[in-house]
Amino acid sequence: QVQLVESGGGLVQAGGSLRLSCAASGRTFSDYAMHWFRQAPGKERESVARISLKGAFTYYADSVKGRFTISRDNGKNTVWLQMNRLTPEDTAVYYCAARKGTTSTNPKDCNYWGQGTQVTVSS
């Protein structure tokens, strides 16, 4: 089992920044590719960013490329999502997820999930 706890969400004005954190406990953190997904009301859960086991490879949705940065510290069992130049379209519940081995854009491929953190961007 891997337990994931997100933090850092909140209300921010358009153009602002937030940094989400996801603290992991349980099994060996470095065995898991880490992901950030988001889900807006009435929409499907979508992949935002993902990072490989040691952090060498990162991938982003086109909608956030150049604005968001995913990073991880295996010594701290933590993954972050730095979000800059936020827009109202970024408003959603953001979820941290873990998948053993490689990354995936399909939420069904992830084994463990956090409870989610709300991000609201006002115009």
Side-chain angles (χ1 to χ4, degrees), residues 6-122:
E6 301 102 332
S7 61
L11 174 64
V12 64
Q13 288 188 332
S17 299
L18 282 174
R19 189 190 196 203
L20 305 184
S21 299
C22 174
S25 60
R27 302 205 174 189
T28 306
F29 182 66
S30 58
D31 286 347
Y32 292 85
M34 297 302 297
H35 307 68
W36 286 98
F37 290 84
R38 68 185 181 187
Q39 189 165 19
K43 294 188 176 181
E44 292 187 352
R45 193 167 297 191
E46 64 172 349
S47 174
V48 175
R50 46 203 172 101
I51 189 166
S52 59
L53 299 179
K54 295 183 179 180
F57 301 99
T58 57
Y59 309 90
Y60 299 92
D62 287 343
S63 58
V64 307
K65 203 171 291 184
R67 301 187 297 122
F68 290 11
T69 303
I70 188 171
S71 59
R72 68 187 293 166
D73 184 333
N74 288 348
K76 296 181 178 180
N77 288 359
T78 302
V79 61
W80 296 274
L81 184 68
Q82 177 67 43
M83 306 186 294
N84 298 328
R85 305 200 309 275
L86 286 160
T87 74
E89 289 69 36
D90 295 316
T91 296
V93 177
Y94 283 71
Y95 297 90
C96 172
R99 180 176 192 257
K100 196 161 189 181
T102 58
T103 67
S104 174
T105 58
N106 188 344
K108 294 180 180 179
D109 290 338
C110 290
N111 309 105
Y112 302 102
W113 292 84
Q115 80 287 354
T117 185
Q118 176 71 48
V119 171
T120 303
V121 184
S122 63

